[in-house]
């Protein structure tokens, strides 16, 4: 199972590290290895959230996520995206931006830093909406029960996630942005929110259509044992697009933070690309093993980690936050949720009622 799921990741890692040594020597080898570990640590919570979405797709679209999706992630987000950002913010053409990245990495890094407020606002608001929509929904299991009970009640108010997100954006725009970047931060933040609403809304719309079609077919066949094979067609396509935008939001901090290790965009693309391969392999592994169903609080921990990352991205509009802090916070939430899930499973299997066991565990977190 491990070899089948992680085989391509292992192979790409070996090829990538060998290539980095042949092209750039030991210094390039070390930079690519460090960037790979950085990407995995920053995006592990991304894998958990991806798994909650991927398990709803049929096998074809799961394979698309591992093949076409990884090409978009590596070449699109880790290589082309930084070049486009520099081209737009610096008023350069794409070719001139590539030449700048190759011929003058320091100037390219400076241009990326200039674009950071817009990147942080867009990514921060997109991730903020993911977090808010999760905690404002009433769920069967509650991890941080005292908090999640309150947010579930408040979530009954229509539009609450959008209202909270807009308040957060206004606070970020007036607290962390300068006079020169305030308008950019506000516009980018609104675009991040609109992007989430558009992609998520289209996904939900087509998912609903597929479910209605499946129900109609089941009624016509008068069969109660029809197998559910996962979402397909337009519904799965928009879920696929949602996953790619989600991956893009998670990659913002990794791409920007990578310049603290190297200025070479090709080393960055290779190192972060290797890390992205492992994130996708971990996602598929979680789906195939049914890990999310077995560990009931893992999804909660991932979304709380997303909320923390969203806040940190907004803070980085003005202040520098070390990548190790971002990575440790995300991994910390995941590990705490995993530990809580293990305790829950032991108590539940020991005979305690589900509600009682859940309250006991939630109270200890």
């Amino acid at each position: 199972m491990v070899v089948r799921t992680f085989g391509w990741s292992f192979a790409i890692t070996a090829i990538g590290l060998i290539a980095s040594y042949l092209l750039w020597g030991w210094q390039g080898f070390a930079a690519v290895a460090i960037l790979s570990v950085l990407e995995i640590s920053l995006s592990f919570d991304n894998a958990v959230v991806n798994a909650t979405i991927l398990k709803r797709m049929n096998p074809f679209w799961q394979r698309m996520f591992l093949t076409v999706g990884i090409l978009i992630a590596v070449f699109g987000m880790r290589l082309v995206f930084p070049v486009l950002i520099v081209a737009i913010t610096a008023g350069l053409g794409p070719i001139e931006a590539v030449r700048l990245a190759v011929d003058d990495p320091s100037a390219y890094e400076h241009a990326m830093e200039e674009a950071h407020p817009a990147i942080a606002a867009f990514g921060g608001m997109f991730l903020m909406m993911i977090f808010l929509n999760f905690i404002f929904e009433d769920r069967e299991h509650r991890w941080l029960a005292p908090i999640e009970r309150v947010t579930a009640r408040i979530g009954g108010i229509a539009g609450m996630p959008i209202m909270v997100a807009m308040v957060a954006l206004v606070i970020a725009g007036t607290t962390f942005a300068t006079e020169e970047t305030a308008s950019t931060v506000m516009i980018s933040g609104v675009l991040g929110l609109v992007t989430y609403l558009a992609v998520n809304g289209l996904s939900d719309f087509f998912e609903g259509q597929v479910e209605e079609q499946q129900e109609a077919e089941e009624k016509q066949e008068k069969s109660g044992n029809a197998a559910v094979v996962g979402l397909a067609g337009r519904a799965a396509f928009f879920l696929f697009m949602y996953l790619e935008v989600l991956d893009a939001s998670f990659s913002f901090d990794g791409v920007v933070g990578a310049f603290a290790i190297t200025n070479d965009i090709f080393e960055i693309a290779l190192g972060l690309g290797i890390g992205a391969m492992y994130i996708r392999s971990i996602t598929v592994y979680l789906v195939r093993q049914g890990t999310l169903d077995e560990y009931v609080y893992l999804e909660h921990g991932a979304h709380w980690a997303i909320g923390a990352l969203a806040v940190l991205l907004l803070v980085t509009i003005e202040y520098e936050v070390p990548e190790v802090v971002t990575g440790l916070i995300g991994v910390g939430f995941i590990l705490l949720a995993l530990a809580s899930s293990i305790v829950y499973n032991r108590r539940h299997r020991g005979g305690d009622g589900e509600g009682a066991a859940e309250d006991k565990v939630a109270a200890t977190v």
Side-chain angles (χ1 to χ4, degrees), residues 30-81:
V32 170
I34 292 171
L35 287 169
S36 302
V37 175
L38 173 69
E39 178 72 0
I40 295 170
S41 64
L42 288 175
S43 301
F44 188 81
D45 47 352
N46 187 14
V48 178
V49 176
N50 284 350
T52 65
I53 301 170
L54 194 65
K55 69 180 183 180
R56 296 157 58 191
M57 296 180 175
N58 66 10
F60 169 79
W61 282 100
Q62 291 182 3
R63 288 192 297 271
M64 288 288 289
F65 176 71
L66 275 179
T67 53
V68 177
I70 193 62
L71 292 176
I72 296 173
V74 175
F75 295 103
M77 289 310 305
R78 274 74 178 181
L79 184 60
V80 176
F81 173 75

Side-chain angles (χ1 to χ4, degrees), residues 2 4 19 57 61 75 95 112 139 143 147 152 162 172 182 184 192 194 209 219 233 236 239 244 270 304 309 325 341:
V2 174
R4 183 162 63 98
M57 296 180 175
W61 282 100
F75 295 103
I95 297 177
M112 278 293 295
R139 298 182 177 277
W143 181 39
I147 299 175
I162 298 176
T184 300
V194 170
Q209 284 193 329
K219 290 179 180 179
L239 276 179
E244 293 307 315
L270 182 55
W304 279 97
L309 178 58
V325 174
S341 300

Side-chain angles (χ1 to χ4, degrees), residues 25 44 53 74 88 93 111 122 164 166 174 183 190 312 325 349:
F44 188 81
I53 301 170
V74 175
I88 294 171
F122 182 95
V164 174
M166 289 303 299
T174 56
S183 60
V190 171
L312 287 175
V325 174
R349 291 167 184 168

Side-chain angles (χ1 to χ4, degrees), residues 71-325:
L71 292 176
I72 296 173
V74 175
F75 295 103
M77 289 310 305
R78 274 74 178 181
L79 184 60
V80 176
F81 173 75
V83 172
L84 290 178
I85 287 294
V86 171
I88 294 171
T89 56
L92 302 173
I95 297 177
E96 287 80 4
V98 172
R99 288 175 179 170
L100 181 67
V102 174
D103 299 333
D104 193 351
S106 297
Y108 179 84
E109 178 185 0
H110 178 70
M112 278 293 295
E113 291 174 351
E114 291 291 318
H116 179 71
I119 296 171
F122 182 95
M125 291 305 296
F126 188 90
L127 295 178
M128 180 75 72
M129 285 299 298
I130 294 173
F131 168 68
L132 292 175
N133 270 307
F134 181 85
I135 66 167
F136 281 132
E137 184 177 340
D138 194 10
R139 298 182 177 277
E140 178 184 357
H141 300 285
R142 295 189 178 118
W143 181 39
L144 305 179
I147 299 175
E148 292 178 6
R149 284 196 192 96
V150 175
T151 55
R153 294 194 191 100
I154 298 176
I157 302 175
M160 180 55 67
I162 298 176
M163 287 187 284
V164 174
M166 289 303 299
V167 169
L169 178 60
V170 170
I171 293 175
T174 56
T175 304
F176 303 125
T178 63
E179 292 183 3
E180 292 78 14
T181 62
S183 60
T184 300
V185 167
M186 296 300 294
I187 293 172
S188 299
V190 171
L191 288 176
L193 189 149
V194 170
T195 300
Y196 172 85
L197 293 176
V199 177
N200 191 60
L202 286 171
S203 174
D204 288 344
F205 172 74
F206 286 113
E207 180 182 348
Q209 284 193 329
V210 170
E211 290 177 351
E212 290 179 2
Q213 182 180 352
Q214 288 176 340
E215 290 177 0
E217 290 175 353
E218 288 177 6
K219 290 179 180 179
Q220 289 177 356
E221 295 173 0
K222 295 181 179 180
S223 174
N225 56 359
V228 178
V229 296
L231 293 178
R234 289 178 295 182
F237 171 76
F238 279 102
L239 276 179
F240 174 81
M241 294 302 299
Y242 176 79
L243 279 172
E244 293 307 315
V245 177
L246 179 62
D247 175 78
S249 299
F250 272 97
S251 69
F252 287 151
D253 58 333
V255 171
V256 175
F259 284 96
I261 298 171
T262 177
N263 290 334
D264 192 310
I265 61 169
F266 299 107
E267 291 181 2
I268 291 173
L270 182 55
L272 298 184
I274 292 173
M277 280 291 298
Y278 280 95
I279 294 304
R280 272 160 169 68
S281 295
I282 293 171
T283 299
V284 173
Y285 182 82
L286 293 174
V287 172
R288 291 175 176 172
Q289 291 291 100
T291 305
L292 296 179
D293 295 328
E294 182 178 356
Y295 300 103
V296 296
Y297 298 122
L298 205 55
E299 186 179 357
H300 293 72
H303 279 86
W304 279 97
I306 288 174
L309 178 58
V311 172
L312 287 175
L313 276 174
L314 296 178
V315 170
T316 60
I317 292 173
E318 181 177 3
Y319 300 104
E320 182 177 352
V321 178
E323 286 71 33
V324 65
V325 174

